[in-house]
Every structure is written in structure tokens, then in C-alpha cells.
Amino acid sequence: MYIKKLLWAVAIIGLIICGGFAYYIYNTMFSPNTNFENESAYIYVPTNASYNEVRSQLEPLLKDMEAFDALAKQKKYTTNIKAGRFEITKGMNNNDIINSIRSKNLPIKIAFNNQHSIKDLAARISKQIEADSVALEKAMLDPSFLTKNGFNEATALGMYLPNSYEFFWNTSAETFRDRMLTEYNRFWTEERKAKAKKLNLSPNEVITLASIVHEESKKADEQPRVAGVYLNRLRIGMPLQADPTLKFAAYQLPEYQNTIIRRVLNIHKTINSPYNTYQNVGLPPGLIAMPDLSAIKAVLNPESHKYLYFAADAKRLGYHKFAKTLGQHNNNAREYHRYLSSQGINK
């Protein structure tokens, strides 16, 4: 009788222990364990990260870090870290969190425009993906990559068409660059190549001219007319005489570093540079800025006209007055110069 009671007692104690252990396991795996008010939180796990690096990001987001640690170790997550951007939603339990950060790398939207150099673009992209600006710039300017794909340092920026794109956060510099080449090649359809050829321009030259058009006019409805002026000048062997190229040339010189040229002066026309389109006939060696897609399309679809000149319109800022003769142009230019002087803009 005593042994029977003892066995019952042992069995009951065993059930209590098993129940407690089961409750602990259930609680560890399936009880909500988030500690934030927003609907979602995100962690960014670097390539080759340690568990401690992941843990430091999770700790402010979880109520019971020790319970998460125990399950992470049991599920071997601590030795199988995946890089990427991961979402944790409010009310998730430890099991769901581990499943999410182990296998649900979420893409991000990255966007860029208005960059004036590869260095600027690399800095912009490095704020959006894991790759740093040094690695990005090195990949973008890799000589063998540029030569293989028909670019050089002066034209390299033209490969990066401003838009928004979907990437994984842990994208490498080389992967980003290669994807942009794919997007560039996708843009240059046979139809667009045929339009460029009809203009006697290569794709690189189209984008170089588009960069000048873009710097001259940000108005998409006016860009085809501006493009038409420059194409007319190219056809007759007239210098482009594009003021934005003078600014670009000036900014390469030490004396113009950290300055803003608001008014192009005659002294700028004397700068010795292949980008000085007052001194040199034809297109400059490469881009002066990253053009919007609207400017590229404007060059490929220019307005047909006989204008050879244009000057900024003082009465419609952002737009221009176009002229067929130098005399008419000089009148338009003098009107705008008077406006600049009235505003105290002298340099």
C-alpha cells in the first residue's frame, strides 16, 4: 500500500514537472514577445554578422530576451545567421520571429536622381543598401568592367538611369552595379538605338547631350525644344555654347571648389577644358550630371525646328526664349541679364 502511494506521488510529481516544462516550452515558443507600439519593426543583419550583433538589434524590441536566446539556440539560429532586412510584427512570438529573420529577407525600394558624379551616386546608394560608398565607387569605376561594357570614367555615370528599383538590403557593390547595367541595356531597346543612330549619336552621346539638356531646363515640356537647338548646332558644326558645361569645367578647378556659380561670365569661357563647349566643337567627353529620363527621351524625340539660340526667360522663370537669329537672341539675352542684375546676381 505504501509503495502504491509512493508511485502515485512520483507520477503526480512527474506530471507536474512535465506540465511545467511543457508550459515553459509553449511560453518560450508561442507567447507574444514584442515590446514596441508600431505595427512593425525592422532589423538589418549585416553579411557575416554574429549572433551578438543580431541580439543587440533585437533586445530593444523584445520583452524577454533570455527566452528568445534559449529558443534561438535550440533552433540553431545562433550558428546560422542570414544577412538582410527582416520584419518583426507586433505580437509575434519567438518562433515566428526566428522563422522571419531566418528566411524572410525583405526587398527595399531604392531611388536616385540628380547626382553629379559617380562619387556622389555611391554616397547616395550607400545610405540605402549594405555596401559602403568606397566599395560602390570602386565597383562602378572598375576599368575592366567599364571597358568590357563600352564605358569610361567620363561616361560611367550614364549607365545609372534615375528611377526607383527593388533590391535586397544586403546587396553587394558588384551586384548593384551589374543590375544597373541590366536596367541600362533594357532601356536601350532596338527602337531607341535606331533613333540614336538616326541622330548620328551613340547611346553614350545621347546621354551626354541629355545631361546638358537637363541642366539647361528642368521643364519636361521644354526639353525636346532645347534638345532640338543643340542637335541643330551639331548638324552645322556650330559649338554647343552650353553654359552648364562651363560651370562643370569651372567646378573641376581648385579656385571654384565650394562655390556656386549663379551667373556665367566671359571669364568662364576662357577655361581650358574639353568640357568648354564655347572653345570646342561637338559634345564634351562625358556627362556633366545625371539626366532625368525625360531629358534622355527628349534627345531621342527632339522637337523639329530651326532655332539655334535660347536664353532664359525673365518673365517665365525656368523656361526660355528661343531665337533663329543671333540678333534676336542677343535681345533676349540682354533682357535676362538685366533681370539678373536687378536681383543682385553678378557672379
Side-chain angles (χ1 to χ4, degrees):
M1 192 69 176
Y2 173 77
I3 294 175
K4 194 172 182 180
K5 288 181 179 180
L6 183 61
L7 290 173
W8 272 108
V10 170
I12 291 169
I13 292 170
L15 286 172
I16 292 171
I17 292 172
C18 288
F21 182 71
Y23 176 78
Y24 170 77
I25 294 296
Y26 180 88
N27 200 50
T28 298
M29 293 184 68
F30 301 115
S31 291
N33 192 28
T34 57
N35 191 35
F36 51 86
E37 294 303 318
N38 294 334
E39 289 304 311
S40 297
Y42 296 89
I43 65 168
Y44 295 81
V45 181
T47 301
N48 299 320
S50 67
Y51 179 66
N52 282 339
E53 289 176 274
V54 180
R55 193 181 190 279
S56 67
Q57 290 193 56
L58 287 172
E59 198 161 14
L61 305 176
L62 305 186
K63 292 178 181 177
D64 188 344
M65 195 65 223
E66 286 70 25
F68 180 87
D69 288 337
L71 189 61
K73 186 175 182 180
Q74 182 185 338
K75 298 190 74 168
K76 296 183 171 53
Y77 174 75
T78 55
T79 55
N80 189 26
I81 309 296
K82 302 293 183 184
R85 170 181 179 262
F86 303 99
E87 180 183 33
I88 301 171
T89 58
K90 186 177 180 180
M92 263 188 173
N93 58 52
N94 288 330
N95 193 58
D96 290 337
I97 295 169
I98 291 171
N99 288 341
S100 179
I101 65 177
R102 182 158 58 188
S103 61
K104 296 179 181 178
N105 187 5
L106 297 177
I108 59 172
K109 287 277 189 181
I110 73 165
F112 57 86
N113 63 357
N114 298 330
Q115 304 304 298
H116 283 77
S117 67
I118 287 291
K119 187 179 185 69
D120 290 344
L121 177 60
R124 173 77 176 269
I125 299 302
S126 70
K127 293 180 173 64
Q128 301 178 73
I129 63 175
E130 181 184 14
D132 64 35
S133 60
V134 174
L136 283 161
E137 187 175 354
K138 181 180 178 182
M140 291 173 179
L141 293 177
D142 177 67
S144 60
F145 172 84
L146 294 178
T147 301
K148 178 182 176 182
N149 294 290
F151 297 97
N152 55 44
E153 284 199 23
T155 60
L157 186 64
M159 196 188 87
Y160 301 87
L161 301 176
N163 212 329
S164 61
Y165 302 93
E166 198 170 80
F167 280 90
F168 288 112
W169 174 79
N170 54 311
T171 295
S172 69
E174 291 76 14
T175 300
F176 171 79
R177 176 202 65 194
D178 294 347
R179 164 73 183 285
M180 289 296 94
L181 176 62
T182 298
E183 296 294 341
Y184 175 85
N185 289 333
R186 184 178 292 130
F187 175 83
W188 281 105
T189 61
E190 291 304 316
E191 180 184 3
R192 286 183 172 132
K193 288 178 183 177
K195 287 181 176 181
K197 187 175 181 181
K198 189 175 179 180
L199 297 169
N200 293 317
L201 299 175
S202 69
N204 277 336
E205 289 171 330
V206 167
I207 294 181
T208 293
L209 182 53
S211 74
I212 299 173
V213 171
H214 175 77
E215 289 298 289
E216 287 283 17
S217 178
K218 301 298 191 292
K219 304 295 186 181
D221 59 332
E222 187 186 64
Q223 287 173 343
R225 180 167 291 189
V226 174
V229 170
Y230 285 129
L231 289 167
N232 286 345
R233 291 180 180 179
L234 287 173
R235 287 190 195 100
I236 64 174
M238 176 181 174
L240 293 182
Q241 297 180 336
D243 287 357
T245 66
L246 296 184
K247 290 183 179 181
F248 181 86
Y251 289 144
Q252 313 309 307
L253 303 176
E255 58 265 38
Y256 288 99
Q257 295 297 309
N258 302 316
T259 64
I260 297 176
I261 299 172
R262 301 178 66 194
R263 184 171 182 171
V264 172
L265 305 173
N266 285 332
I267 191 173
H268 299 129
K269 298 175 184 178
T270 67
I271 294 173
N272 183 21
S273 166
Y275 288 88
N276 184 336
T277 58
Y278 278 81
Q279 292 184 348
N280 303 291
V281 176
L283 291 166
L287 290 75
I288 60 171
M290 177 184 287
D292 283 347
L293 292 178
S294 63
I296 300 173
K297 292 174 181 177
V299 173
L300 291 172
N301 303 279
E303 183 179 311
S304 179
H305 55 64
K306 294 185 179 180
Y307 295 126
L308 286 174
Y309 308 95
F310 61 94
D313 189 341
K315 295 179 180 177
R316 296 178 70 215
L317 294 180
Y319 285 92
H320 296 80
K321 287 186 174 182
F322 294 79
K324 296 176 183 178
T325 68
L326 181 59
Q328 184 183 4
H329 168 68
N330 286 339
N331 288 335
N332 293 337
R334 278 193 290 270
E335 182 181 336
Y336 186 65
H337 291 157
R338 284 195 295 270
Y339 165 77
L340 290 178
S341 297
S342 72
Q343 300 298 308
I345 299 173
N346 299 310
K347 61 181 181 176

